[in-house]
């Protein structure tokens, strides 16, 4: 398994750490490619019939399927394996980060601040959806600040995110090699850029806001895609932003990072041509989603565009497929994910003030698989939607 691109903020693995990280990544690919597909067979040949005999009807929704599968040893075995591998995944990466934390903090300081900027708020109050749970089992979550100038959660999510994405690449992951300009973690931004060019080709982009920019992996491609544009990223987490700022310094990308809740930012009305997010809404709450979309509306100039990329919504999914996706909500510390995926993105945008006639929604092929194609909602594994103000 190839290592992620070795920029100065990327924690390096020693021999034993690398062996553990490769083992966990390979085991996750194996469980996903070879064990996970068996769940469908178990459902069709055993669980569905057993449920029908017990209830005198077929399973009708994802909750019924969950009840049916919860009695199946194959599901319980897969589920417990998936949870254990998820914990091992973060632990194996955190080991490299903890060993090198002083050097990583030092690297961040040495990379300086001459490109872009970093604004942190020492009195920042985390919303409860962030502080109440370690989202997707990442120890400490995104936001925990352990030492002065901490960058640890940024480093864990950068190296850990790389190995997580490999899981979805299957056997191809073994050949993949990262190079600047071809970093796997940037697929979400490339999808959004492609969507803007396909759906809103006349949009002039001079200022762009990336909501929930995390460690900035997906903020950087906007610099190259929109030459001369000012790129801003906001996130709740100081350690992610410190890490992201240092990483952007190394890559020479002048992104302006600030610690802000995207529900209520300090940017003026109409300040941006484009407001985007990738993989953020499902980690918030019903109220936060409504507030964030209203804020996006306030921040856009007339004619500006908002685009959001997420996993597919349940409304077009079979009960069995929705049950499979639900696993993360039950067992991967993603408590809001199922509620979010039951919501209707067009309604969310309309409620925030966007004209329903100017709202669009598609599904897409998986962003990590390369150039995405846009399909009717429900036809692909990912969702992408947006609106023009
Ligand atoms: C899965 S990460 C998204 C990563 C990033 N957008 C990407 O595509 O690589 C979700 C991020 O959203 C941030 N976030 C969640 N709610 C937020 C809010 N209300 N305001 C700003 N950031 C938020 C979290 O702190 C976390 O860093």
């Amino acid at each position: 398994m190839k290592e992620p691109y070795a920029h100065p903020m990327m924690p390096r693995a020693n021999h034993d750490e690398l062996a553990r990280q490769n083992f966990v990544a390979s085991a996750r690919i194996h469980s996903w490619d070879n064990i996970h597909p068996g769940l469908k067979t178990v459902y069709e040949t055993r669980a569905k019939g057993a449920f029908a005999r017990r209830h005198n009807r077929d399973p009708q929704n994802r909750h019924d399927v969950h009840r049916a599968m919860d009695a199946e040893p194959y599901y319980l075995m897969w589920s417990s394996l998936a949870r254990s591998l998820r914990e091992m995944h973060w632990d194996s990466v955190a080991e490299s980060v903890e060993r090198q934390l002083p050097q990583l903090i030092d690297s961040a300081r040495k990379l300086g601040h001459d490109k872009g900027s970093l604004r942190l708020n020492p009195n920042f109050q985390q919303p409860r959806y962030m502080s109440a749970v370690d989202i997707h089992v990442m120890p400490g979550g995104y936001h925990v600040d352990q030492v002065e100038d901490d960058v640890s959660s940024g480093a864990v999510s950068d190296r850990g995110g790389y190995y997580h994405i490999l899981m979805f690449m299957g056997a191809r992951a073994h050949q993949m090699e990262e190079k600047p300009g071809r970093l796997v973690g940037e697929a979400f931004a490339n999808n959004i850029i492609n969507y803007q060019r396909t759906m809103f080709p006349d949009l002039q982009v001079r200022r762009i806001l990336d909501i929930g920019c995390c460690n900035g992996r997906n903020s950087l491609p906007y610099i190259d895609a929109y030459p001369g544009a000012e790129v801003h990223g906001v996130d709740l987490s100081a350690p992610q932003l410190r890490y992201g700022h240092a990483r952007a310094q190394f890559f020479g990308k002048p992104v302006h990072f600030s610690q802000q809740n995207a529900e209520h930012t300090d940017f003026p009305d109409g300040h941006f041509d484009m407001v985007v997010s990738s993989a953020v809404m499902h980690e918030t709450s019903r109220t936060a989603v409504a507030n964030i979309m209203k804020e996006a509306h306030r921040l856009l100039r007339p004619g500006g565009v908002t685009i959001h990329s997420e996993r597919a919504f349940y409304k077009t999914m079979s009960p069995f497929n929705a049950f499979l996706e639900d696993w993360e909500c039950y067992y991967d510390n993603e408590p809001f994910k199922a509620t979010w995926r039951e919501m209707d993105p067009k309604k969310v945008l309309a409620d925030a003030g966007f004209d329903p006639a100017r709202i669009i929604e598609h599904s897409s092929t998986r962003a990590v698989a390369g150039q995405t194609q846009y399909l009717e909602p429900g036809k692909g594994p990912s969702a992408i939607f947006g609106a023009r103000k």
Side-chain angles (χ1 to χ4, degrees), residues 38-158:
L39 295 171
K40 176 92 174 152
T41 313
V42 168
Y43 177 63
E44 293 296 344
T45 57
R46 294 167 50 106
K48 195 173 169 185
F51 182 96
R53 282 191 294 282
R54 261 199 319 276
H55 298 274
N56 289 323
R57 63 174 176 85
D58 282 340
Q60 275 155 11
N61 53 40
R62 61 191 171 86
H63 305 292
D64 284 350
V65 179
H66 194 165
R67 269 177 227 118
M69 291 295 278
D70 233 5
E72 292 295 334
Y74 190 96
Y75 174 63
L76 299 178
M77 180 277 296
W78 179 81
S79 182
S80 127
L81 177 68
R83 170 69 189 214
S84 301
L85 286 172
R86 184 61 144 160
E87 291 176 10
M88 288 164 73
H89 158 80
W90 292 123
D91 287 350
S92 69
V93 170
E95 211 179 349
S96 303
V97 175
E98 280 165 15
R99 181 174 57 75
Q100 292 163 91
L101 188 55
Q103 291 99 296
L104 292 172
I105 292 174
D106 197 42
S107 278
R109 288 180 182 141
K110 286 192 179 127
L111 282 161
H113 304 283
D114 58 317
K115 297 165 207 85
S117 58
L118 175 66
R119 272 196 295 145
L120 299 178
N121 174 359
N123 303 316
F124 192 77
Q125 290 293 316
Q126 293 294 335
R128 209 182 115 66
Y129 50 82
M130 180 56 46
S131 59
V133 64
D134 287 357
I135 291 186
H136 46 58
V137 196
M138 189 167 100
Y142 290 104
H143 63 289
V144 168
D145 239 342
Q146 306 183 75
V147 292
E148 198 184 341
D149 291 343
D150 195 3
V151 291
S152 54
S153 79
V156 169
S157 71
D158 202 11

Side-chain angles (χ1 to χ4, degrees), residues 5 120 234 386:
Y5 180 71
L120 299 178
V234 292

Side-chain angles (χ1 to χ4, degrees), residues 152-347:
S152 54
S153 79
V156 169
S157 71
D158 202 11
R159 195 172 176 97
Y162 168 84
Y163 283 106
H164 181 62
I165 290 170
L166 295 191
M167 184 171 84
F168 299 109
M169 300 181 89
R172 285 183 308 128
H174 295 279
Q175 279 91 49
M176 207 235 13
E177 186 159 12
E178 285 208 312
K179 294 200 169 68
R182 278 207 299 119
L183 301 181
V184 287
E186 295 180 344
F188 288 138
N190 290 327
N191 186 20
I192 288 176
I193 293 161
N194 188 32
Y195 195 66
Q196 175 269 311
R197 289 180 177 157
T198 310
M199 304 294 162
F200 307 100
D202 62 321
L203 183 73
Q204 294 288 312
V205 183
R206 289 179 213 88
R207 220 179 265 139
I208 174 163
L209 174 64
D210 183 20
I211 289 171
C213 62
C214 198
N215 57 31
R217 261 188 324 218
N218 277 289
S219 310
L220 270 46
Y222 298 116
I223 297 276
D224 295 328
Y226 304 106
E230 204 176 282
V231 178
H232 292 255
V234 292
D235 202 279
L236 303 169
S237 158
Q240 294 286 350
L241 292 165
R242 281 188 206 105
Y243 182 94
H245 174 60
R247 187 180 178 281
Q249 286 284 122
F250 170 74
F251 284 109
K253 312 282 180 193
V255 176
H256 300 281
F257 292 101
S258 57
Q259 186 178 20
Q260 300 199 56
N261 187 333
E263 295 179 60
H264 309 283
T265 68
D266 61 7
F267 300 112
D269 293 356
H271 198 59
F272 292 98
D273 306 293
M274 189 148 108
V275 174
V276 300
S277 81
S278 44
V280 176
M281 299 305 146
H282 70 265
E283 293 181 359
T284 63
S285 72
R286 202 181 271 279
T287 310
V289 166
N291 289 340
I292 291 172
M293 295 302 179
K294 272 190 205 130
E295 184 67 356
H297 187 265
R298 181 185 77 77
L299 293 175
L300 283 174
R301 58 144 168 107
V305 162
T306 192
I307 299 176
H308 306 272
S309 121
E310 278 279 349
R311 296 271 285 284
F313 289 91
Y314 285 161
K315 60 184 177 173
T316 49
M317 231 178 254
S318 72
F320 180 75
N321 285 342
F323 149 78
L324 290 180
E325 298 287 331
D326 243 13
W327 184 85
E328 294 171 316
C329 188
Y330 280 94
Y331 307 116
D332 199 34
N333 288 16
E334 298 264 21
F336 179 58
K337 201 166 199 172
T339 309
W340 160 251
R341 294 178 76 180
E342 279 195 329
M343 289 166 75
D344 176 353
K346 286 188 162 175
K347 179 167 180 342

